[in-house]
Amino acid sequence: MIKEKKNKNIIKVFLGVFKDKLTCCLIIVLIFGFLLRFLGVYPGYSPYHPDEGKAGYTSAWFMFTNKTLDLPRYHYPALIPLIELVFLVLIFIPILWVKLFLTSPDLILSHLNNLPDIFQNYIALRSDVLIMFLSRYLMVIFSFLTMIFVYFVSKTLFSSRLIGLLSVLALELNLRDVTS
């Protein structure tokens, strides 16, 4: 009985959000903005952005393979490679291990005593391009969070949800923000 009442309350809250037209428009704009950014990872014109090698994935991979946080050269502020290193170690490499295990379980099971060689030969060598796309997906996440931040800042500054929505819409359609 209590669970049914709780489910009905959740449904009422969910449907109550969509009664307001501005909230519906904001949700649609945010979803569309996220999809634009996600699809912008593979833009079609050039598979490689000239700054990606310096700014992100090469630096993060260097820090990971050399077990150091000190880069030989800083092309950009060090925060970008550090954030990518955290995502590389905590998310990306485990995903590659799971993918390798699901696609080639016999390889891993037959070489359980030699996992560092499997990592070196099957994950590290084949993941340079994938690591580059990791930096692009991180920029998708940060760009989406920027859209949410812009909404709340403009709504607060101008005391208008409509201005917040228009600000997010302007940022959503900004080509440089979508493709970066």
Side-chain angles (χ1 to χ4, degrees), residues 12-128:
K12 283 182 184 179
V13 169
F14 184 73
L15 292 177
V17 167
F18 290 106
K19 286 183 180 178
D20 184 20
K21 289 181 183 179
L22 279 177
T23 305
C24 284
C25 290
L26 177 65
I27 290 171
I28 290 169
V29 165
L30 288 174
I31 290 171
F32 187 69
F34 179 79
L35 289 175
L36 273 178
R37 281 149 183 76
F38 188 76
L39 295 174
V41 168
Y42 296 99
Y45 51 88
S46 173
Y48 307 109
H49 190 275
D51 286 346
E52 281 176 332
K54 294 183 279 185
Y57 78 96
T58 302
S59 301
W61 191 249
F62 176 85
M63 288 188 289
F64 177 74
T65 56
N66 293 322
K67 297 180 178 100
T68 181
L69 295 179
D70 190 25
L71 293 172
R73 298 191 335 258
Y74 290 97
H75 300 286
Y76 290 95
L79 184 62
I80 294 171
L82 287 175
I83 291 171
E84 291 188 2
L85 176 66
V86 168
F87 277 88
L88 176 74
V89 171
L90 296 179
I91 296 173
F92 195 68
I93 290 178
I95 288 173
L96 289 175
W97 273 107
V98 168
K99 180 180 176 186
L100 182 66
F101 185 75
L102 292 176
T103 57
S104 304
D106 54 334
L107 176 76
I108 293 178
L109 294 175
S110 64
H111 293 89
L112 279 176
N113 59 348
N114 211 2
L115 287 180
D117 285 342
I118 291 177
F119 177 79
Q120 187 65 34
N121 294 326
Y122 293 97
I123 292 182
L125 287 180
R126 298 179 183 183
S127 63
D128 287 342

